Amino acid sequence: MTPLLQVRDVAKFYGARVGCKDVSFDLYPGEVMGIVGESGSGKSTLLNCLAGHLEPDAGEVIFDTAVDGPRDTLTMSEPERRMLSRTDWAFVHQHAREGLRMGVSAGGNVGERLMAVGARHYGDIRSSAIDWLGRVEIAEDRVDDRPTAFSGGMQQRLQIARNLVTGPRLVFMDEPTGGLDVSVQARLLDLLRGLVREMGLSAIIVTHDLAVVRLLADRLMVMKDGHVVETGLTDQVLDDPQHGYTQLLVSSVLQV
Amino acid sequence: MSDYNFAYLDEQTKRMIRRAILKGLAIPGYQVPFASREMPMPYGWGTGGVQVSAATLVPEDRMKVIDQGADDTTNAVSIRKFFERTAGVETTEETGRATLIQTRHRIPEEALGEDQILVYQVPIPEPLRFLEPRETETRKMHALEEYGLMHVKLYEDISQHGAIATSYAYPVKVEGRYVMDPSPIPKFDNPKMGMAAIQLFGAGREQRIYALPPWCEVVSLDFEDHPFEPSKAEHECDLCAAGDSYLDEVIVDDAGGRMFVCSDTDYCRQRRAAGHMGAQGVPYEEGAA
């Protein structure tokens, strides 16, 4: 089986500072990988390098494209990479307003990706927008409301719908539950888990919340100071942490 | 120093603007940056159009200036006077006799010919601006032909109003490549843009020039199930009875009285001179208002 994404020795420096360094892993179709670590550990830098938002200083990011097979996304031309990012890839931002167009209705937000890949039939665009709003539990009568009229949790769900409407194969998520209260988080996680399983998505989730990766991720990568310090199956890493930092991380979770 | 250089601008500036115009003609619909000059009029009064006109004018030209179709509004009158004074060119109100027409918000009703140039005044040249405020991003979107966002605007129109409510500055795609803002002309005028005359667009404040060579393919954007429709008031001109021209609605009293008149004053005058008369018209007299 060909890995969907092969990451080889990716490194990103900010001047003399290390953003992330020597990161390598394979992600297989249908697999969800979590990246955890404290603030400043380089997890968001890594995610942005993988998703093409930042240009890494070294390494390869090989994606198994639908048409041409495995290709290094870093040496691709920009139009190709941007095409990937609106078809096969999706990116869920921590703050929904970064990933949404706040001045455009919910339906328009969901429809944008469809129109970006050439959909030109209003009725079809609208019905798939409504379908997707339903899937993320947003009522049909909110389709013409702007995201500014939505709660934080709804905005985040809308962002997810907007990203998944073109049927991507790989989803990047940067703290998808950050800033939401726990009950809303729980619903969102439930929804995400359902969608990931149902659509057979591969996903890379960056978070500092261990509960999120426990629920969603098959595999876990722990980062500290730009380096990967431990990898393994989620349950294995969380239940039997080997590295000192991971042990600290696991023991720091507040118990209720 | 009492005399201006021909058409106000100095020769170096005109040369710079001509280069931008030629580049614009070579890449139809592409916005060419140029070093816009301060003009002796405020931004928004047509400084871009005036600079393009100044760079294009030759002493043999006969110039016409229209504002919303009319030859006799403040903007048109002052720009016409400006060129009468600084270039000494002959001016006219007759569309057919003019060799260079500077316009704001309209295309004349009378079809233009190959020996004519139409210069538009453009306030915001970037059709994607209200959706994407970053210039770096809109340039990239043009470069990579990522025009999905333009349809988001039309989608929003339909979802809010049930139809594409954009009625002016209606976005067009030029020669299957660049999406272009046709300046705030009514969408009624969009189908006329594939014409014999050269069309030049100048945006002074935004420092952009773009152009359409003759017989360019200009397609108004739309949806398959909501096709583009050029619209006008469902009426005839009350002065000249024209049923095919774009109409202005004029309120004539405080009792709800109104009339519809051609926005193209020259077209209306010619029709009345030829004996056409509308519902509220009076017989035409030479020289009468």
Side-chain angles (χ1 to χ4, degrees):
Chain A
M1 192 167 174
T2 329
L4 188 65
L5 190 72
Q6 302 173 54
V7 180
R8 296 281 171 269
D9 300 320
V10 165
K12 172 76 187 171
F13 299 94
Y14 297 108
R17 283 178 214 285
V18 177
C20 61
K21 195 162 178 279
D22 299 332
V23 181
S24 302
F25 65 88
D26 287 342
L27 184 77
Y28 286 87
E31 194 179 27
V32 179
M33 189 160 94
I35 303 176
V36 294
E38 60 192 5
S39 300
S41 61
K43 50 191 192 325
S44 292
T45 298
L46 174 63
L47 193 74
N48 284 318
C49 285
L50 301 183
H53 298 171
L54 282 177
E55 196 181 336
D57 295 310
E60 290 179 337
V61 179
I62 298 162
F63 179 75
D64 186 18
T65 57
V67 186
D68 300 328
R71 291 194 52 194
D72 187 353
T73 60
L74 304 179
T75 54
M76 260 183 193
S77 67
E78 191 172 6
E80 289 178 298
R81 194 161 51 236
R82 283 173 72 113
M83 191 60 179
L84 261 190
S85 70
R86 44 174 204 268
T87 53
D88 274 354
W89 292 356
F91 197 103
V92 178
H93 293 264
Q94 175 179 3
H95 301 292
R97 50 182 61 236
E98 287 171 27
L100 292 173
R101 288 193 190 277
M102 299 307 279
V104 169
S105 72
N109 264 293
V110 178
E112 182 183 343
R113 268 174 82 109
L114 293 171
M115 293 182 246
V117 294
R120 293 290 180 265
H121 190 283
Y122 175 81
D124 292 351
I125 294 168
R126 193 170 172 83
S127 56
S128 54
I130 289 171
D131 173 43
W132 266 98
L133 289 181
R135 288 212 229 177
V136 296
E137 299 166 16
I138 295 175
E140 183 179 336
D141 61 1
R142 303 300 300 270
V143 65
D144 292 330
D145 290 349
R146 292 188 174 182
T148 39
F150 286 7
S151 69
M154 279 174 82
Q155 288 181 2
Q156 199 57 284
R157 293 203 300 268
L158 177 62
Q159 194 195 174
I160 289 165
R162 166 185 161 90
N163 272 290
L164 297 188
V165 66
T166 45
R169 294 190 292 148
L170 175 59
V171 186
F172 300 99
M173 296 190 216
D174 190 2
E175 310 260 14
T177 59
L180 301 177
D181 66 54
V182 281
S183 59
V184 176
Q185 261 189 36
R187 267 178 70 196
L188 187 72
L189 286 174
D190 201 41
L191 176 79
L192 272 177
R193 193 160 54 167
L195 289 172
V196 164
R197 295 283 176 268
E198 183 190 324
M199 298 176 71
L201 294 176
S202 301
I204 299 178
I205 302 177
V206 160
T207 180
H208 54 247
D209 188 342
L210 294 182
V212 171
V213 284
R214 174 78 92 174
L215 271 172
L216 284 177
D218 304 312
R219 226 151 39 96
L220 198 56
M221 201 158 89
V222 184
M223 288 188 76
K224 180 164 173 32
D225 300 331
H227 294 268
V228 177
V229 295
E230 190 167 352
T231 57
L233 297 175
T234 305
D235 292 344
Q236 177 197 334
V237 174
L238 292 182
D239 293 339
D240 183 19
Q242 300 295 310
H243 190 272
Y245 174 71
T246 320
Q247 292 170 355
L248 178 72
L249 201 66
V250 171
S251 64
S252 306
V253 175
L254 294 175
Q255 302 295 324
V256 185
Chain B
M1 216 183 89
S2 58
D3 287 338
Y4 289 111
N5 187 34
F6 176 75
Y8 185 76
L9 291 173
D10 62 279
E11 292 303 313
Q12 281 301 327
T13 300
K14 286 197 262 182
R15 188 183 229 191
M16 175 267 296
I17 294 172
R18 285 173 195 148
R19 267 202 291 262
I21 292 172
L22 288 175
K23 185 169 179 181
L25 283 167
I27 318 170
Y30 172 72
Q31 298 167 47
V32 186
F34 78 110
S36 179
R37 299 292 192 248
E38 288 280 333
M39 297 302 284
M41 61 184 71
Y43 287 127
W45 283 47
T47 52
V50 165
Q51 289 178 74
V52 170
S53 293
T56 330
L57 271 179
V58 291
E60 298 77 38
D61 266 326
R62 200 178 297 118
M63 193 181 186
K64 169 182 163 86
V65 184
I66 47 178
D67 170 10
Q68 307 267 13
D71 288 279
D72 51 4
T73 52
T74 320
N75 201 266
V77 170
S78 61
I79 292 175
R80 189 161 58 229
K81 277 209 174 128
F82 176 77
F83 282 114
E84 274 172 5
R85 236 175 97 181
T86 60
V89 291
E90 196 186 333
T91 55
T92 179
E93 294 194 1
E94 283 174 49
T95 306
R97 289 185 66 233
T99 54
L100 187 139
I101 304 174
Q102 181 171 334
T103 178
R104 170 172 179 267
H105 298 196
R106 271 315 305 280
I107 295 175
E109 304 292 351
E110 190 178 325
L112 300 182
E114 278 174 13
D115 50 355
Q116 289 178 306
I117 298 178
L118 186 59
V119 176
Y120 295 79
Q121 304 169 198
V122 183
I124 309 265
E126 177 53 71
L128 301 160
R129 178 60 68 239
F130 291 106
L131 300 149
E132 177 52 67
R134 288 167 295 181
E135 174 70 14
T136 48
E137 189 62 21
T138 50
R139 279 200 208 185
K140 197 168 270 180
M141 290 160 84
H142 281 294
L144 302 179
E145 274 189 88
E146 289 181 4
Y147 290 132
L149 199 53
M150 207 67 249
H151 275 85
V152 173
K153 178 177 152 52
L154 302 179
Y155 171 95
E156 289 290 287
D157 262 7
I158 303 172
S159 73
Q160 283 170 31
H161 308 288
I164 299 179
T166 303
S167 55
Y168 64 94
Y170 192 102
V172 293
K173 192 165 206 175
V174 178
E175 288 289 326
R177 178 60 181 85
Y178 283 98
V179 165
M180 187 188 94
D181 182 344
S183 89
I185 59 170
K187 65 178 169 183
F188 174 80
D189 284 343
N190 273 18
K192 297 183 200 164
M193 296 187 87
M195 63 165 76
I198 289 177
Q199 297 168 80
L200 306 174
F201 299 77
R205 181 184 49 208
E206 305 289 326
Q207 314 200 323
R208 294 290 184 277
I209 284 173
Y210 49 104
L212 296 175
W215 304 118
C216 222
E217 185 202 20
V218 180
V219 179
S220 304
L221 299 180
D222 59 4
F223 285 105
E224 288 158 16
D225 48 346
H226 286 267
F228 170 77
E229 276 174 32
S231 63
K232 67 182 275 285
E234 289 292 331
H235 217 276
E236 278 185 356
C237 174
D238 281 327
L239 296 180
C240 75
D244 58 351
S245 71
Y246 192 74
L247 302 174
D248 285 338
E249 186 178 358
V250 184
I251 308 293
V252 291
D253 55 31
D254 286 345
R258 64 188 58 193
M259 65 191 293
F260 289 90
V261 294
C262 292
S263 97
D264 186 336
T265 50
D266 176 57
Y267 182 73
C268 200
R269 185 189 55 76
Q270 284 186 26
R271 276 183 57 87
R272 280 183 291 138
H276 298 278
M277 196 163 75
Q280 301 182 40
V282 288
Y284 181 78
E285 284 175 53
E286 188 66 42

